């Protein structure tokens, strides 16, 4: 159904590397992988058949527990519209009480959950996705005015001003418009 790669640390691991801890939840004990160092990120992906078979309204939520005495933190979610993601993994001591050292192995958790009930992604990822969507909007707008000149995109010199005015006008007319740039 899903898999994970820890860049510079492992080969792709499929769902069989995870222990099923509940009917729709799995956990991977990172100590079992014998990694030389704690990974800084994980690339989590849905296999094509799983992405297509995911029930409507459901998502595959990804969580990370940096140590056994730390809570799981929501990293993001996957679904048919986003079948893979590169997710940063927080360090065990980041933002913790300095009086209580991290104890026990780190774990990566994966669960099939209601998409509407999931928390918003961490701000850094959210900002990145919003910026990407705004950039796509600008590119599509520019394409509608462009001409081709030897494989280069040629647009009017005031294209950014025109796009930004249109963007602002639409946001003023429709208060939900800006929310469409967030996923």
């Amino acid at each position: 159904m899903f898999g994970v790669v820890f860049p510079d640390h492992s080969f792709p691991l499929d769902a069989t590397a995870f222990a099923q801890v509940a009917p729709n939840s799995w956990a991977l004990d990172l100590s079992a992988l014998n990694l030389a160092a704690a990974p800084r990120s994980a690339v989590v992906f849905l296999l094509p058949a799983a992405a297509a078979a995911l029930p409507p309204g459901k998502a595959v939520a990804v969580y990370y527990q940096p140590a056994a005495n730390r809570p799981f933190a929501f990293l993001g979610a996957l679904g048919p519209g986003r079948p893979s993601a590169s997710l940063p993994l927080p360090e065990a001591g980041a933002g913790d009480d300095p009086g209580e050292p991290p104890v026990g192995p780190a774990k990566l958790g994966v669960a099939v959950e209601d998409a509407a009930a999931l928390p918003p992604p961490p701000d850094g990822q959210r900002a990145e996705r919003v910026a990407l969507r705004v950039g796509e909007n600008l590119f599509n707008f520019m394409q509608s005015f462009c001409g081709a000149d030897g494989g280069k995109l040629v647009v009017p010199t005031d294209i950014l001003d025109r796009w930004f005015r249109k963007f602002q006008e639409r946001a003023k007319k429709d208060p939900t418009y800006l929310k469409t740039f967030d996923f």
Side-chain angles (χ1 to χ4, degrees), residues 11 16 21 46 58 60 63 65 92 101 132 150 153 160-161 170:
F11 293 104
T16 61
V21 295
L46 294 177
K58 296 290 186 180
V60 176
Y63 298 90
Q65 183 183 34
L132 179 63
L153 185 68
L160 285 174
D161 292 329
R170 185 145 182 214

Side-chain angles (χ1 to χ4, degrees), residues 51-98:
L54 198 62
K58 296 290 186 180
V60 176
V62 181
Y63 298 90
Y64 183 68
Q65 183 183 34
N69 64 337
R70 302 292 190 256
F72 274 93
F74 178 72
L75 298 180
L78 307 177
R82 184 181 187 214
S84 66
S86 179
L87 305 167
L89 303 177
E91 293 181 34
D96 290 332
D97 176 12

